[in-house]
Amino acid sequence: PSGAPSGAPSGAPSGVPPPPLPPPSPPPPNPPPPMPPPAPLPPAPQPPFPSPSPPPPPPAPPPPPVPSPPPPLPPPPPPSPPPSLLQPLPQPSPLSSPPPPTAPPTLSPPAPPEAPTEARPPPTPPPPPPSPPLLPLSDFLDQAWPFDRPVVDTPIAPMPAGPLPPPSPPAAIATAAQVEEAASTLVSILGAQGDIDEDTAQVVTNLVSNLIGAQSDSLADITTLQGSPAESVAEDEASEAADAIARAVMQLAAAAAVGSGNELVELQSANLNLTTEAREPLELSARPVVCNTADEPVEVQMPASILQAAPGADALLPVSVVLYTTATSLHSTAGSIDGRTSSNRSLSQSVSFSLMQGGVELSISGAAQPINISVPYRPVLINADGEAPCVGTPANATAAALCPSTVECYFWNATLAEWSREGCTTLAGPEGGYTCSCDHLTEFVIFEFPRTVADLFATLPKFNGISERAVQCTLDPRRSWW
């Protein structure tokens, strides 16, 4: 090149010495060729990228392993019982060989299908609300009761010939319902109190006497409802009232006996007379039990073996005897009685006899020897010739035709809710009364049935199927041609 250095700018003024330049750096080993001034400097060259190498070939698969012969299997073990359902099954180790196969368990025969379960009973209804607290006995006795009725102290007279006007059905039903409520409340109060003295026992006796009088009025009203829709309702109410009165009398006897130290107790009123005392079992047959009434005393003679007819009785514990009479029966005497529908019958006062032990009434039935209960009664259906009635059921139609009436002993069958003669025989008493000789204990009455032609026709099936023509022939032999 010419004398000017290559790095001085062009067009510098001449005559001025240039500043000293630093020493030049050593030239690069391969200096690039000079670029002409007008052309811009080209970009520095980039190193070329290496060309991609081809992917390596995939490795060859390893040769398959040569299988080795399996070791010989041991003999199978004997069958073992199936594992219990409550014990965990053994888990095989992941590195150990699988356990040898075992024999399958013996399958038991399938169980028979279960019987269909019974239908569940309906849910138990909630208990009734608690009853109000009981009144003290003195407050209960001081209440004004609607049973202030005339007392009944004579046997029921024959019903009048003409029909009675029927009372209002609600009145007849309401009377029996009131009697049942009062008697049931009295039973609860006496049971809670336990014992009463003699004076209180007499006041209670008077109240029960009034209940019996109201019950008699209710029964008289029911007889006029025969055939009406209210008859069955009234009879049900009267039956419940009669049962409640009987329970009240027994509770009265028990409370009075405890209050007296189990000594003899005698209570009397217009409609109720009661006798109770405690006896040793061996003394039950030593003497009769006596209860005084307005007519004549009632007596009960027990056999020595009476406790053998009482299931559950203890032959070593004392026994309380309870004998009471009511002026009229507590149960209905209307309608048909033993197939006889006569409305002209008459009946005696009611006699009830019971035995109690430990405060529980004993059930007496099927006694080997009879129990004799005297029932005061005077016949009222004597014919014009003054002939006395026949005692007991006549043997045949001929004997029945000769009787102006028949007097028979009946008892109240509580199971059938009707009067029955089963197990009883009617006997004539030594002094004109009558005796019910029976093998059980309950409520007894004497019925007197008139003996008319109509009554004989009503009872024909009882006389061995005798025909109406035969009865007419017996009554009047002159009609034997008929």
Side-chain angles (χ1 to χ4, degrees), residues 283-370:
E283 297 178 355
L284 291 176
S285 60
R287 61 186 186 279
V289 183
V290 181
C291 180
N292 293 317
T293 68
D295 297 331
E296 58 187 78
V298 174
E299 295 186 358
V300 176
Q301 182 64 56
M302 293 175 284
S305 60
I306 186 171
L307 290 185
Q308 297 178 6
D314 192 332
L316 302 178
L317 296 180
V319 177
S320 295
V321 296
V322 181
L323 174 61
Y324 66 93
T325 67
T326 58
T328 182
S329 173
L330 301 178
H331 302 279
S332 175
T333 58
S336 175
I337 295 179
D338 204 10
R340 286 172 281 192
T341 58
S342 173
S343 60
N344 198 32
R345 55 180 171 247
S346 181
L347 70 154
S348 69
Q349 58 182 306
S350 172
V351 177
S352 298
F353 183 65
S354 302
L355 300 180
M356 298 183 66
Q357 192 174 61
V360 179
E361 184 176 356
L362 299 177
S363 176
I364 306 293
S365 62
Q369 297 174 303

Coordinates of all heavy atoms in Angstrom, one line a residue, residues 283-370:
E283 N -111.6 -78.5 109.8 CA -112.8 -78.1 110.4 C -113.9 -77.6 109.4 O -114.9 -77.2 109.8 CB -112.5 -76.9 111.4 CG -111.5 -77.3 112.5 CD -111.2 -76.1 113.4 OE1 -111.7 -75.0 113.0 OE2 -110.6 -76.3 114.4
L284 N -113.6 -77.7 108.1 CA -114.5 -77.2 107.1 C -115.8 -78.0 107.2 O -116.9 -77.4 107.0 CB -113.9 -77.3 105.7 CG -112.8 -76.4 105.4 CD1 -112.2 -76.7 104.0 CD2 -113.2 -74.9 105.5
S285 N -115.8 -79.3 107.5 CA -117.0 -80.1 107.5 C -117.5 -80.4 108.9 O -118.5 -81.1 109.1 CB -116.8 -81.5 106.8 OG -115.7 -82.2 107.5
A286 N -116.9 -79.8 109.9 CA -117.3 -80.0 111.3 C -118.6 -79.5 111.6 O -119.4 -80.1 112.4 CB -116.2 -79.5 112.3
R287 N -119.0 -78.3 111.1 CA -120.3 -77.7 111.3 C -120.7 -76.9 110.1 O -119.8 -76.4 109.3 CB -120.2 -76.8 112.6 CG -119.2 -75.6 112.4 CD -119.1 -74.8 113.7 NE -118.3 -73.7 113.5 CZ -116.9 -73.6 113.5 NH1 -116.3 -74.8 113.7 NH2 -116.3 -72.5 113.4
P288 N -122.0 -76.7 109.9 CA -122.4 -75.9 108.7 C -122.1 -74.4 108.9 O -121.9 -73.9 110.0 CB -123.9 -76.1 108.7 CG -124.3 -76.5 110.1 CD -123.1 -77.2 110.7
V289 N -121.9 -73.8 107.7 CA -121.8 -72.3 107.7 C -123.2 -71.7 107.6 O -124.0 -72.1 106.7 CB -120.9 -71.9 106.4 CG1 -120.7 -70.4 106.4 CG2 -119.6 -72.6 106.4
V290 N -123.5 -70.8 108.4 CA -124.8 -70.2 108.6 C -124.8 -68.7 108.3 O -123.9 -68.0 108.7 CB -125.4 -70.4 110.0 CG1 -126.8 -69.9 110.1 CG2 -125.4 -71.9 110.3
C291 N -125.8 -68.3 107.5 CA -126.0 -66.8 107.2 C -127.4 -66.5 107.5 O -128.3 -67.1 106.9 CB -125.6 -66.5 105.8 SG -125.8 -64.8 105.3
N292 N -127.7 -65.5 108.4 CA -129.1 -65.2 108.7 C -129.7 -64.3 107.6 O -129.0 -63.4 107.0 CB -129.1 -64.5 110.0 CG -128.7 -65.4 111.2 OD1 -129.2 -66.5 111.2 ND2 -127.9 -64.9 112.1
T293 N -130.9 -64.5 107.3 CA -131.6 -63.7 106.3 C -133.0 -63.2 106.9 O -133.3 -63.6 108.1 CB -131.9 -64.4 105.0 OG1 -132.9 -65.5 105.3 CG2 -130.7 -65.0 104.5
A294 N -133.7 -62.4 106.2 CA -135.0 -61.9 106.7 C -136.0 -63.1 106.8 O -136.9 -63.0 107.7 CB -135.5 -60.8 105.8
D295 N -135.9 -64.1 106.0 CA -136.8 -65.2 106.0 C -136.4 -66.3 107.0 O -137.1 -66.5 108.0 CB -137.0 -65.8 104.6 CG -137.6 -64.8 103.6 OD1 -138.3 -63.9 104.1 OD2 -137.2 -64.9 102.4
E296 N -135.4 -67.0 106.7 CA -134.8 -68.0 107.5 C -133.3 -68.2 107.2 O -132.9 -67.7 106.2 CB -135.6 -69.3 107.3 CG -135.5 -69.8 105.8 CD -136.4 -71.0 105.6 OE1 -137.6 -70.8 105.5 OE2 -135.9 -72.1 105.5
P297 N -132.6 -68.8 108.1 CA -131.1 -68.9 107.9 C -130.8 -69.8 106.7 O -131.6 -70.7 106.3 CB -130.6 -69.5 109.2 CG -131.7 -69.3 110.2 CD -133.0 -69.3 109.4
V298 N -129.7 -69.5 106.0 CA -129.2 -70.3 105.0 C -128.0 -71.1 105.5 O -127.2 -70.5 106.2 CB -128.7 -69.4 103.8 CG1 -128.0 -70.2 102.7 CG2 -129.9 -68.6 103.2
E299 N -128.0 -72.3 105.2 CA -126.9 -73.2 105.7 C -126.2 -73.9 104.6 O -126.8 -74.3 103.6 CB -127.5 -74.2 106.7 CG -128.0 -73.6 108.0 CD -128.5 -74.7 109.0 OE1 -128.3 -75.9 108.7 OE2 -128.9 -74.3 110.1
V300 N -124.9 -74.1 104.7 CA -124.1 -74.8 103.8 C -123.3 -75.9 104.5 O -122.6 -75.6 105.5 CB -123.1 -73.9 103.0 CG1 -122.2 -74.8 102.1 CG2 -123.9 -72.9 102.2
Q301 N -123.5 -77.2 104.1 CA -122.8 -78.3 104.7 C -121.8 -78.8 103.7 O -122.2 -79.3 102.6 CB -123.8 -79.4 105.2 CG -123.1 -80.6 105.9 CD -122.4 -80.2 107.2 OE1 -123.1 -79.6 108.1 NE2 -121.1 -80.4 107.3
M302 N -120.5 -78.8 104.1 CA -119.5 -79.2 103.2 C -119.0 -80.6 103.5 O -119.0 -81.0 104.7 CB -118.2 -78.3 103.2 CG -118.5 -76.9 102.7 SD -117.1 -75.8 103.0 CE -117.2 -75.5 104.8
P303 N -118.6 -81.4 102.5 CA -118.0 -82.8 102.8 C -116.6 -82.6 103.2 O -115.9 -81.6 103.0 CB -118.1 -83.5 101.4 CG -118.1 -82.4 100.4 CD -118.8 -81.2 101.1
A304 N -116.1 -83.6 103.9 CA -114.7 -83.6 104.3 C -113.7 -83.5 103.2 O -112.6 -83.1 103.4 CB -114.4 -84.8 105.2
S305 N -114.1 -84.0 102.0 CA -113.1 -84.1 100.9 C -113.3 -82.9 100.0 O -112.9 -83.0 98.8 CB -113.4 -85.4 100.1 OG -114.7 -85.4 99.6
I306 N -113.8 -81.8 100.4 CA -114.1 -80.7 99.5 C -112.8 -80.1 98.9 O -112.8 -79.7 97.7 CB -114.9 -79.6 100.2 CG1 -115.4 -78.5 99.2 CG2 -114.2 -79.0 101.4 CD1 -116.4 -77.5 99.7
L307 N -111.7 -80.0 99.6 CA -110.5 -79.4 99.1 C -109.9 -80.3 98.0 O -109.1 -79.8 97.2 CB -109.5 -79.2 100.2 CG -109.8 -78.1 101.2 CD1 -108.7 -77.9 102.2 CD2 -110.2 -76.8 100.5
Q308 N -110.3 -81.5 97.9 CA -109.8 -82.4 96.8 C -110.3 -81.9 95.5 O -109.8 -82.3 94.4 CB -110.1 -83.8 97.1 CG -109.5 -84.4 98.3 CD -109.9 -85.9 98.5 OE1 -110.6 -86.5 97.7 NE2 -109.5 -86.4 99.7
A309 N -111.4 -81.2 95.5 CA -112.0 -80.6 94.3 C -111.6 -79.2 94.0 O -112.1 -78.6 93.0 CB -113.6 -80.7 94.4
A310 N -110.5 -78.7 94.7 CA -110.0 -77.4 94.5 C -108.6 -77.5 94.1 O -107.7 -77.7 94.9 CB -110.1 -76.6 95.8
P311 N -108.3 -77.4 92.8 CA -106.9 -77.4 92.3 C -106.1 -76.3 92.9 O -106.5 -75.1 93.0 CB -107.0 -77.3 90.8 CG -108.4 -77.6 90.5 CD -109.2 -77.2 91.7
G312 N -104.9 -76.6 93.5 CA -104.0 -75.6 94.0 C -104.2 -75.4 95.5 O -103.5 -74.5 96.1
A313 N -105.2 -76.0 96.1 CA -105.5 -75.7 97.5 C -104.4 -76.4 98.4 O -104.0 -77.5 98.1 CB -106.9 -76.2 97.9
D314 N -104.1 -75.7 99.5 CA -103.1 -76.3 100.5 C -103.9 -76.8 101.7 O -104.6 -76.1 102.3 CB -102.1 -75.2 100.9 CG -100.9 -75.7 101.6 OD1 -101.1 -76.8 102.3 OD2 -99.9 -75.1 101.6
A315 N -103.7 -78.1 101.9 CA -104.5 -78.7 103.0 C -103.9 -78.4 104.4 O -104.5 -78.8 105.4 CB -104.4 -80.3 102.8
L316 N -102.9 -77.5 104.5 CA -102.3 -77.2 105.7 C -102.6 -75.7 106.1 O -102.3 -75.3 107.2 CB -100.8 -77.4 105.7 CG -100.3 -78.8 105.4 CD1 -98.8 -78.9 105.4 CD2 -100.9 -79.8 106.5
L317 N -103.1 -74.9 105.2 CA -103.3 -73.5 105.5 C -104.8 -73.2 105.7 O -105.7 -74.0 105.2 CB -102.9 -72.7 104.3 CG -101.4 -72.7 103.9 CD1 -101.1 -71.8 102.7 CD2 -100.6 -72.3 105.1
P318 N -105.1 -72.2 106.6 CA -106.5 -71.9 106.8 C -107.3 -71.5 105.6 O -106.7 -71.0 104.6 CB -106.4 -70.7 107.8 CG -105.0 -70.8 108.4 CD -104.2 -71.4 107.3
V319 N -108.6 -71.7 105.6 CA -109.5 -71.4 104.5 C -110.6 -70.5 105.0 O -111.2 -70.8 106.1 CB -110.1 -72.7 103.9 CG1 -111.0 -72.4 102.8 CG2 -109.0 -73.7 103.4
S320 N -110.8 -69.5 104.3 CA -111.9 -68.6 104.6 C -113.2 -69.0 103.9 O -113.2 -69.2 102.6 CB -111.6 -67.1 104.2 OG -110.5 -66.7 105.0
V321 N -114.3 -69.1 104.6 CA -115.6 -69.4 104.0 C -116.3 -68.1 103.9 O -116.4 -67.3 104.8 CB -116.3 -70.5 104.8 CG1 -115.6 -71.8 104.9 CG2 -116.6 -69.9 106.3
V322 N -117.0 -67.9 102.7 CA -117.7 -66.7 102.4 C -119.1 -67.2 101.9 O -119.3 -67.8 100.9 CB -117.1 -65.8 101.4 CG1 -117.9 -64.6 101.1 CG2 -115.6 -65.5 101.8
L323 N -120.1 -66.9 102.7 CA -121.5 -67.2 102.4 C -122.3 -65.9 102.4 O -122.3 -65.2 103.4 CB -122.1 -68.2 103.4 CG -123.6 -68.5 103.2 CD1 -123.9 -69.1 101.9 CD2 -124.1 -69.5 104.4
Y324 N -123.0 -65.6 101.3 CA -123.8 -64.4 101.3 C -125.1 -64.6 100.4 O -125.1 -65.4 99.5 CB -123.0 -63.1 100.8 CG -122.6 -63.2 99.3 CD1 -123.4 -62.6 98.3 CD2 -121.4 -63.7 98.9 CE1 -123.0 -62.6 97.0 CE2 -121.0 -63.7 97.6 CZ -121.8 -63.2 96.6 OH -121.4 -63.2 95.3
T325 N -126.1 -63.8 100.8 CA -127.4 -63.9 100.1 C -127.7 -62.5 99.6 O -127.4 -61.5 100.2 CB -128.5 -64.5 101.0 OG1 -128.8 -63.5 102.0 CG2 -128.1 -65.8 101.6
T326 N -128.4 -62.5 98.5 CA -128.9 -61.2 97.9 C -130.4 -61.4 97.7 O -130.9 -62.5 97.4 CB -128.3 -60.8 96.6 OG1 -128.5 -61.9 95.6 CG2 -126.8 -60.6 96.8
A327 N -131.1 -60.3 97.9 CA -132.6 -60.4 97.9 C -133.1 -60.8 96.5 O -134.2 -61.3 96.4 CB -133.2 -59.0 98.3
T328 N -132.3 -60.5 95.5 CA -132.7 -61.0 94.1 C -131.4 -61.4 93.4 O -130.3 -61.0 93.8 CB -133.4 -59.8 93.4 OG1 -133.7 -60.3 92.1 CG2 -132.5 -58.6 93.2
S329 N -131.6 -62.1 92.3 CA -130.4 -62.6 91.6 C -129.7 -61.4 90.9 O -130.3 -60.4 90.5 CB -130.8 -63.6 90.5 OG -129.7 -63.9 89.7
L330 N -128.4 -61.5 90.9 CA -127.6 -60.4 90.2 C -127.7 -60.6 88.7 O -127.3 -59.7 88.0 CB -126.1 -60.5 90.6 CG -125.9 -60.3 92.1 CD1 -124.4 -60.4 92.4 CD2 -126.4 -59.0 92.6
H331 N -128.1 -61.7 88.2 CA -128.1 -62.0 86.7 C -129.6 -62.0 86.2 O -130.5 -62.3 87.0 CB -127.4 -63.3 86.4 CG -126.0 -63.4 86.9 ND1 -125.0 -62.8 86.2 CD2 -125.4 -63.9 88.0 CE1 -123.8 -63.0 86.8 NE2 -124.1 -63.6 87.9
S332 N -129.7 -61.9 85.0 CA -131.0 -61.8 84.4 C -131.7 -63.2 84.5 O -131.1 -64.2 84.3 CB -130.9 -61.4 82.9 OG -132.2 -61.5 82.3
T333 N -133.0 -63.1 84.8 CA -133.8 -64.3 84.8 C -134.9 -64.3 83.8 O -135.9 -65.1 83.9 CB -134.5 -64.5 86.2 OG1 -135.3 -63.3 86.5 CG2 -133.4 -64.6 87.3
A334 N -134.8 -63.4 82.8 CA -135.8 -63.3 81.7 C -135.4 -64.3 80.6 O -134.4 -64.9 80.6 CB -135.8 -61.9 81.2
G335 N -136.4 -64.4 79.7 CA -136.1 -65.2 78.5 C -136.3 -66.7 78.9 O -136.8 -67.1 79.9
S336 N -135.7 -67.5 78.0 CA -135.8 -69.0 78.1 C -134.8 -69.5 79.1 O -133.7 -69.1 79.1 CB -135.6 -69.6 76.8 OG -135.6 -71.0 76.9
I337 N -135.3 -70.4 80.0 CA -134.5 -71.0 81.0 C -134.6 -72.5 80.8 O -135.7 -73.1 81.1 CB -134.8 -70.6 82.4 CG1 -134.5 -69.1 82.6 CG2 -134.0 -71.4 83.5 CD1 -134.8 -68.6 84.0
D338 N -133.6 -73.1 80.3 CA -133.6 -74.6 80.1 C -134.7 -75.0 79.2 O -135.4 -76.0 79.4 CB -133.7 -75.3 81.5 CG -133.1 -76.7 81.4 OD1 -132.5 -77.1 80.3 OD2 -133.3 -77.5 82.3
G339 N -135.0 -74.2 78.2 CA -136.0 -74.5 77.2 C -137.4 -74.1 77.6 O -138.4 -74.3 76.8
R340 N -137.6 -73.5 78.8 CA -138.9 -73.1 79.2 C -139.0 -71.6 79.2 O -138.2 -70.9 79.8 CB -139.2 -73.6 80.7 CG -139.5 -75.1 80.7 CD -139.5 -75.7 82.0 NE -138.2 -75.9 82.6 CZ -138.0 -76.6 83.7 NH1 -139.0 -77.2 84.4 NH2 -136.8 -76.7 84.2
T341 N -140.0 -71.1 78.5 CA -140.2 -69.7 78.3 C -141.3 -69.0 79.1 O -141.7 -67.9 78.8 CB -140.4 -69.4 76.8 OG1 -141.6 -70.1 76.4 CG2 -139.2 -69.9 76.0
S342 N -141.8 -69.7 80.1 CA -143.0 -69.2 80.8 C -142.5 -67.9 81.5 O -141.5 -67.8 82.2 CB -143.5 -70.2 81.8 OG -144.4 -69.6 82.7
S343 N -143.4 -66.9 81.5 CA -143.1 -65.6 82.2 C -143.7 -65.6 83.5 O -143.6 -64.6 84.3 CB -143.6 -64.4 81.3 OG -145.0 -64.5 81.1
N344 N -144.4 -66.7 83.9 CA -145.1 -66.7 85.2 C -144.4 -67.4 86.3 O -144.9 -67.8 87.3 CB -146.5 -67.4 85.0 CG -147.4 -67.0 86.2 OD1 -147.4 -66.0 86.7 ND2 -148.3 -68.0 86.5
R345 N -143.1 -67.6 86.0 CA -142.3 -68.4 87.0 C -141.9 -67.4 88.2 O -141.9 -66.2 88.0 CB -141.0 -68.9 86.4 CG -140.2 -67.9 85.6 CD -138.9 -68.5 85.0 NE -138.3 -67.6 84.2 CZ -138.2 -67.7 82.8 NH1 -138.7 -68.7 82.2 NH2 -137.5 -66.8 82.1
S346 N -141.5 -68.0 89.3 CA -141.1 -67.3 90.5 C -139.7 -67.8 90.9 O -139.4 -69.0 90.5 CB -142.1 -67.4 91.6 OG -141.7 -66.7 92.7
L347 N -139.0 -67.1 91.7 CA -137.7 -67.5 92.1 C -137.4 -67.0 93.5 O -138.0 -66.1 94.0 CB -136.6 -67.1 91.1 CG -136.3 -65.6 91.1 CD1 -134.8 -65.4 90.6 CD2 -137.2 -64.8 90.2
S348 N -136.4 -67.7 94.1 CA -136.0 -67.4 95.5 C -134.9 -66.3 95.5 O -134.5 -65.8 94.4 CB -135.5 -68.6 96.1 OG -134.2 -69.0 95.5
Q349 N -134.5 -65.9 96.6 CA -133.3 -65.1 96.8 C -132.1 -65.9 96.3 O -132.1 -67.1 96.2 CB -133.2 -64.6 98.2 CG -133.0 -65.7 99.2 CD -132.9 -65.1 100.6 OE1 -132.1 -64.3 100.9 NE2 -133.8 -65.6 101.5
S350 N -131.0 -65.1 96.0 CA -129.8 -65.8 95.5 C -128.9 -66.1 96.7 O -128.8 -65.3 97.6 CB -129.1 -64.8 94.6 OG -127.9 -65.3 94.2
V351 N -128.3 -67.3 96.6 CA -127.3 -67.8 97.6 C -126.0 -68.1 96.9 O -126.0 -68.8 96.0 CB -127.9 -69.0 98.3 CG1 -126.8 -69.5 99.4 CG2 -129.2 -68.7 99.0
S352 N -124.9 -67.5 97.4 CA -123.6 -67.7 96.9 C -122.7 -68.2 98.0 O -122.7 -67.6 99.1 CB -123.0 -66.4 96.3 OG -123.9 -66.0 95.2
F353 N -121.8 -69.1 97.7 CA -120.9 -69.7 98.6 C -119.5 -69.9 98.0 O -119.5 -70.4 96.8 CB -121.4 -71.0 99.2 CG -120.5 -71.6 100.3 CD1 -120.4 -71.0 101.5 CD2 -119.9 -72.8 100.0 CE1 -119.6 -71.5 102.4 CE2 -119.0 -73.4 101.0 CZ -118.9 -72.7 102.2
S354 N -118.5 -69.5 98.6 CA -117.1 -69.6 98.1 C -116.1 -69.9 99.2 O -116.4 -69.7 100.4 CB -116.7 -68.2 97.4 OG -117.6 -67.9 96.4
L355 N -115.0 -70.4 98.8 CA -113.8 -70.6 99.6 C -112.7 -69.8 99.2 O -112.4 -69.7 97.9 CB -113.5 -72.1 99.7 CG -114.5 -73.1 100.1 CD1 -114.0 -74.5 100.1 CD2 -115.0 -72.8 101.6
M356 N -111.9 -69.2 100.1 CA -110.8 -68.4 99.8 C -109.6 -68.9 100.6 O -109.7 -69.3 101.8 CB -111.0 -66.9 100.0 CG -112.1 -66.3 99.2 SD -112.3 -64.5 99.5 CE -110.8 -63.9 98.8
Q357 N -108.4 -68.8 100.0 CA -107.2 -69.2 100.7 C -106.1 -68.3 100.2 O -105.8 -68.2 99.0 CB -106.8 -70.6 100.4 CG -105.7 -71.2 101.3 CD -105.4 -72.7 101.1 OE1 -105.1 -73.1 100.0 NE2 -105.6 -73.5 102.1
G358 N -105.4 -67.6 101.2 CA -104.4 -66.6 100.8 C -104.9 -65.4 100.0 O -104.2 -64.9 99.2
G359 N -106.2 -65.1 100.2 CA -106.8 -64.0 99.5 C -107.2 -64.3 98.1 O -107.6 -63.4 97.3
V360 N -107.2 -65.6 97.7 CA -107.5 -66.0 96.3 C -108.7 -66.9 96.4 O -108.7 -67.9 97.2 CB -106.4 -66.7 95.6 CG1 -106.8 -67.1 94.2 CG2 -105.2 -65.7 95.5
E361 N -109.7 -66.7 95.6 CA -110.9 -67.6 95.6 C -110.5 -68.9 95.0 O -109.9 -69.0 93.9 CB -112.0 -67.0 94.8 CG -113.3 -67.8 94.9 CD -114.5 -67.1 94.2 OE1 -114.3 -65.9 93.8 OE2 -115.6 -67.7 94.1
L362 N -110.9 -70.0 95.6 CA -110.7 -71.4 95.1 C -111.8 -71.8 94.2 O -113.0 -71.5 94.4 CB -110.6 -72.4 96.3 CG -109.5 -72.1 97.3 CD1 -109.5 -73.2 98.4 CD2 -108.1 -72.1 96.7
S363 N -111.4 -72.5 93.1 CA -112.4 -73.0 92.2 C -112.7 -74.4 92.6 O -111.9 -75.3 92.6 CB -111.8 -73.0 90.7 OG -112.7 -73.6 89.8
I364 N -114.0 -74.6 92.9 CA -114.5 -75.9 93.4 C -115.4 -76.5 92.3 O -116.4 -75.9 91.9 CB -115.3 -75.8 94.7 CG1 -114.5 -75.1 95.7 CG2 -115.7 -77.2 95.1 CD1 -113.3 -75.8 96.2
S365 N -115.1 -77.7 91.7 CA -115.9 -78.3 90.8 C -115.6 -79.8 90.8 O -114.5 -80.2 91.0 CB -115.7 -77.7 89.3 OG -114.3 -77.9 88.9
G366 N -116.6 -80.6 90.4 CA -116.5 -82.0 90.4 C -116.2 -82.7 91.7 O -115.4 -83.7 91.8
A367 N -116.8 -82.2 92.8 CA -116.6 -82.8 94.1 C -117.1 -84.2 94.1 O -118.2 -84.5 93.6 CB -117.2 -82.0 95.2
A368 N -116.4 -85.1 94.8 CA -116.8 -86.5 94.9 C -118.0 -86.7 95.7 O -118.9 -87.5 95.4 CB -115.6 -87.4 95.4
Q369 N -118.2 -85.9 96.7 CA -119.3 -85.9 97.6 C -120.1 -84.5 97.4 O -119.4 -83.5 97.3 CB -119.0 -86.1 99.1 CG -118.3 -87.5 99.3 CD -117.8 -87.6 100.7 OE1 -117.0 -86.9 101.2 NE2 -118.3 -88.7 101.4
P370 N -121.4 -84.5 97.5 CA -122.1 -83.3 97.2 C -122.0 -82.2 98.3 O -121.7 -82.6 99.5 CB -123.6 -83.7 97.0 CG -123.6 -85.0 97.8 CD -122.3 -85.7 97.7

